[in-house]
Amino acid sequence: MAEPLLEIKDLRVEFDTRDGVATVIDGLDISLYPGEILGIVGESGCGKSMTALSIMRLVPVPPGRIAKGTIRLDGEDLLQVSEKRMRGVRGNAISMIFQEPMTSLNPVFSVGDQIAETILLHEGGSKRAAWQRAVEMLDAVGIPVPEVRAREYPHQMSGGMRQRVMIAMALACQPRVLIADEPTTALDVTVQAQIFDLLKDLQKKTGAVIVLITHDMGAIAEMAQRVVVMYAGRKVEDGPVDEILTNPKHPYTTGLIGCVPHLSADPSEERVPLTDIPGVVPPMTRLGQGCPFAPRCSEAMDKCRLEMPTQSVVGEDHRVSCWLIENDGP
Amino acid sequence: MANFSIIVVKRLFNAAALILAVVILNFLLIHIAPGDIVDTIAGEMGGISPELITQIRAEYGLDKPLYEQLALYVWKILQGDLGHSFFYDVPVVELIWDALPQTLLLVITALSLALVIGTILGVIAARRPNGAFSHFITVLALVGFSAPVFWTGIMFLIAFASFIPLFPPAGMADPGLEPGSLDYYLDVLHHMVLPVVTLALIYLAFYSRLSRASMLDVLGSDYIRTARAKGLSDRVVVYKHALRNALIPIVTIAGLQFAQILSGAVLVEAVFTWPGLGTLALEAILRRDGPTILGILFFSAMVVVIFNLLTDLTYNLIDPRIRIGSKE
């Protein structure tokens, strides 16, 4: 496989809380390869968004801190560079769109201004040229009459429109990595499909790597080529999407896939009941020594509660951390 | 906008009713208060004889029944006549009109200073909400709010007019200076420092606290995270993206507070003998000058009611979600 464009190695993020230090990300390895869409999936509180903020180096310090690890973009460790250099990376080489399009745009500036600001910041040039580019970007994300819409304020736009503006803003400086943190969770299903189509389309055109963070295995199936499944700040399984969907190894991955409803055109067909994973993600301050998923796992063994599982390779580019696999042997 | 005109008419009617109620209440309060004004006037004139007292009663209409006096008073007010001062022997309207500019000068300067400095302090504090400076602001706000303004004023007088005589202790300008000359204005400025600082401290406490809270609120919002993700520097994020949003509630409150400017000034003026409405009110109370007290109370009530009316109507115009009185 080609050299990774962005490589996270042994990342550890800690937060100081009233109950002590919470390790919200532990020993995380993720690689991004040119031209791909990588999905990161897991429930709320699994550390997906914190992974994204770590890549942007926007983890709130204090109470949080990146305690260990490297995040290399083209070999440059972003965790070691100066804040000034990092500002040159944000919005330029790596940009991000967020879950809440309704509140992610500043209400007191026109959307054109907000896009042009990014362009001026990273590429300089005249205000007029930046504005022109902003209008072109709005056009590229499918906003009708962009020269008029650019002058409008966020409150004059719908949620889908605002998310398009966010995408236009994120792509304005041709980033190499675009992190989309639950970009469609707050939107109507029809708009969700439009935004996904737009992202796929723009990915083909610009060649940017997209990191799609979601809790929805359905979105992963539609968008991503590879997927990382996270639980309690750890990677539990990763591999090609087709492989993971048809042959999940970790009980948590199986559980997540079982939570996605299936649509059937034939109403007479017997309906498959939805399964769920009992319990919730444990508080990060109270993780024991064993596998963090063990208390919710239907197949947990004594060993699972005592010892953290190690990673096994179970197929081409398919890895899983689970004692069940270890027992079977790879 | 037909709906809006109905609202305006309703509000105006309410305002008028409110002012009438204030007038009647004030009038009755003054008459319930112990002591006879006629004694005071007669005393000022140098002798008390039964004839003189009867004469004064007739002259000022004080021999008529209470309800008749009240009706006469309201009727005069409608004509813009607030009565005649017993003590100064000039129309009350003239007294208020002469004192108003000094009060406005004092209050507007103090309010503007407090607004600007308080906002800046609050913003700096909000950038490190758990830092030493932030705690200092909290304490400052507490002290500023709790310390009575006359006490702060007297402390300033002792410290900076008596102990270290940097500033004049009283008045507004040296009587020897030609009004309108540059020296005169500089002297007024010099006299203003202590009363303005005293008055500004209360507002400062308030605005630094308000802007700290407002800024903290804004800094936690999603669009600030977006601004940081764009690669903007901390300074641009705070002073461009956050400040503009944080200012909205501050400006709103400042507009509302303007209605209460007069009340804040009374004590400060009294401490520093500043020749404004506050000093006039105090004098009038000490001299039992009923018409002047009533006039100032009426004027203050007017200011409050009018500013509230304007605020209500402005909101109604700015924000279509606030539809006063409409039942849709």
Side-chain angles (χ1 to χ4, degrees), chain B residues 17 43 80 82 113 117 223 322 326:
Chain B
L82 291 182
L113 273 179
I117 298 174
Y223 54 84
I322 304 174
S326 72

Side-chain angles (χ1 to χ4, degrees), chain A residues 110-126:
Chain A
S110 71
V111 297
D113 270 339
Q114 296 189 53
I115 299 171
E117 187 183 31
T118 315
I119 298 167
L120 278 173
L121 177 72
H122 294 294
E123 294 175 9
S126 71

